[in-house]
Amino acid sequence: MIGPDKQPDLWEYKEHTGLKHAILSNYLKRWISILGRPRAGKPKTMHFVDSYAGRARYKSGELGSPILSMEVGEELHRHFNGAFFLECHNVERDAFNFASLRWEVEVAKQDFPSVGVRNYQGSFEDRAGEIFSNIGAGEPALVFLDPFGYQSIDMPLKMLDRRRNEVFITFMSSFVNRFLTDPSKAAVMDRIFGTPRWRELRGVPNRQERLVRLYCEQIQIMAREKLGVDEVLVYPIDVDFEGRDADIYHLVHVSQHEAARKAMEEAVWSANVLKDAQLSLPLPDAAVEDLILEELGGGRTLQALPLAKKVWLRHFTATWRDDVRGAVKALEQRGEVIVTPNDPSKKRKVGSLAKEKDWVELRGGGQPRLV
């Protein structure tokens, strides 16, 4: 831990906190689109699990994530004419913070009456079983892991064991980087990464970014080895220190669906965080084209968004709006791929940006399947 989460300075609202909350709110608003619009007579219920909920309000009055999520839930409930419900599960260990959380939530219920809220005092590790027993097996949950300190890789993996879960993690990359060479922190580093491979990075350049990449790779590797989950999409997002050209931490979105990955990218763009590739070690631009050609090899035909998923499994930071669609456009202009609209009655201009359901194939690789 960096320090006890009751420290007053931890509850000052910083610029990076505002950005994190903006991304979270933006994504919650887009989340419903991943599973389809709710309809009258067929309402949808989704869950937001705030594993380190804190006080729910900062020293200067700014709203914390427990209240921001309620605000979004009520907005969506009204937008879908009562056919959408958000259930919030807030966990806080510290007694003082928990008392503040309960009070703020009770007050907020007057403004957000459609949102259900359960508050749990204790550690998330101790209360997780109870929380998920209160969530229906077929109902999706977004789990926000936002501790004041280090997060072991075991917890994101436990969350992925439930197929309908997505995870949004605050990975304290600057602090991990700072203490990487401290012998007394070796056991902590082993828990964070779940591998001794972090030791290989102690003397390399761009160490912080490489540590983030290792953390993302380990989530994929361990999900495959321990859970049998092969296609985990991991998306790292850098968040800067105020007034410094350096990252204070990285937000890591973990999902199993390409639409969720795309929605998070849009949420980040809307929060004005994503201007360039998030890591300073991206594969070169040509690598996206190479990955696309590799995935289409052997006569395979894929729709553009599932094709993007194949790219994202190997290239965490390639963006949908620029990198993937831009690569397909360049390949089509050079005559290396053919892009066909999903709707055969539609026409498209060669070299225009592909849409999510457009079919992509290697030239000479056979006709796409139209549905």
Side-chain angles (χ1 to χ4, degrees):
M1 295 289 291
I2 298 168
D5 61 8
K6 65 177 68 177
Q7 287 182 204
D9 60 335
L10 293 178
W11 294 99
E12 294 177 358
Y13 200 74
K14 306 290 181 63
E15 180 181 348
H16 62 79
T17 303
L19 290 173
K20 177 170 60 179
H21 286 167
I23 294 170
L24 179 62
S25 295
N26 288 344
Y27 183 71
L28 283 171
K29 293 174 184 177
R30 289 166 171 79
W31 191 25
I32 183 63
S33 66
I34 298 167
L35 299 173
R37 296 170 63 89
R39 299 180 180 88
K42 290 187 176 181
K44 288 185 180 292
T45 299
M46 294 184 174
H47 299 262
F48 176 66
V49 181
D50 200 335
S51 59
Y52 301 87
R55 302 179 184 181
R57 190 177 293 271
Y58 287 79
K59 286 172 59 177
S60 301
E62 296 88 354
L63 300 179
S65 51
I67 310 302
L68 289 172
S69 59
M70 294 177 70
E71 185 175 49
V72 172
E74 188 67 28
E75 180 182 337
L76 291 172
H77 179 78
R78 294 172 181 169
H79 179 77
F80 291 109
N81 299 314
F84 173 84
F85 294 91
L86 183 67
E87 296 286 326
C88 297
H89 305 260
N90 302 315
V91 187
E92 175 53 42
R93 176 164 44 191
D94 181 79
F96 180 84
N97 292 344
F98 185 75
S100 173
L101 169 69
R102 290 183 60 185
W103 169 258
E104 296 292 348
V105 166
E106 285 302 313
V107 173
K109 283 181 178 178
Q110 301 176 52
D111 295 322
F112 314 125
S114 76
V115 180
V117 182
R118 296 174 187 252
N119 299 313
Y120 307 78
Q121 186 174 7
S123 71
F124 182 59
E125 291 79 4
D126 291 339
R127 305 302 296 269
E130 179 184 356
I131 291 168
F132 288 103
S133 71
N134 291 323
I135 298 177
E139 295 176 350
L142 175 64
V143 183
F144 186 31
L145 298 177
D146 186 34
F148 281 115
Y150 306 122
Q151 177 68 67
S152 167
I153 202 169
D154 289 340
M155 187 52 68
L157 290 171
K158 288 179 181 178
M159 297 302 98
L160 288 176
D161 199 23
R162 188 176 181 276
R163 181 66 178 85
R164 290 287 207 159
N165 281 0
E166 291 182 34
V167 192
F168 193 42
I169 309 162
T170 302
F171 178 62
M172 300 301 295
S173 55
S174 64
F175 293 95
V176 173
N177 185 44
R178 176 182 172 187
F179 294 109
L180 195 70
T181 57
D182 185 344
S184 68
K185 297 293 192 294
V188 173
M189 297 301 167
D190 286 338
R191 289 195 297 272
I192 290 172
F193 293 102
T195 178
R197 288 173 55 204
W198 59 269
R199 291 171 171 82
E200 301 169 9
L201 303 179
R202 286 181 288 192
V204 302
N206 298 320
R207 189 171 71 186
Q208 185 174 349
E209 286 85 3
R210 288 177 180 266
L211 289 168
V212 177
R213 189 180 296 281
L214 175 62
Y215 185 72
C216 294
E217 290 172 350
Q218 279 297 109
I219 290 175
Q220 289 182 322
I221 291 170
M222 295 178 74
R224 183 164 53 249
E225 292 178 350
K226 294 189 174 185
L227 306 177
V229 180
D230 290 326
E231 296 190 330
V232 174
L233 298 170
V234 189
Y235 180 38
I237 306 153
D238 67 335
V239 179
D240 294 340
F241 279 102
E242 296 169 34
R244 288 176 53 187
D245 185 20
D247 300 326
I248 183 171
Y249 52 72
H250 285 73
L251 301 171
V252 179
H253 178 233
V254 186
S255 66
Q256 299 182 50
H257 200 292
E258 59 269 27
R261 165 62 173 76
K262 178 175 175 287
M264 180 56 78
E265 182 181 315
E266 293 169 349
V268 176
W269 271 100
S270 297
N272 295 319
V273 178
L274 183 61
K275 297 183 176 66
D276 299 301
Q278 293 303 304
L279 298 179
S280 63
L281 299 173
L283 296 172
D285 292 343
V288 178
E289 295 183 12
D290 292 341
L291 289 172
I292 288 173
L293 293 174
E294 184 179 330
E295 292 298 335
L296 295 176
R300 296 182 68 193
T301 301
L302 292 170
Q303 287 183 304
L305 189 56
L307 176 59
K309 179 178 182 179
K310 299 294 186 181
V311 173
W312 288 329
L313 286 169
R314 299 166 63 184
H315 190 336
F316 301 140
T317 59
T319 63
W320 163 255
R321 64 166 62 197
D322 292 326
D323 298 325
V324 176
R325 292 200 301 169
V328 171
K329 176 180 178 179
L331 290 168
E332 185 184 27
Q333 289 174 328
R334 295 202 301 268
E336 296 183 61
V337 303
I338 299 171
V339 182
T340 306
N342 184 56
D343 183 347
S345 67
K346 300 288 185 180
K347 293 183 178 181
R348 69 180 296 278
K349 183 179 179 181
V350 173
S352 59
L353 291 173
K355 297 181 179 179
E356 294 180 15
K357 294 185 178 181
D358 286 350
W359 292 93
V360 186
E361 64 172 331
L362 292 179
R363 180 169 291 281
Q367 294 299 313
R369 175 173 57 89
L370 301 178
V371 294

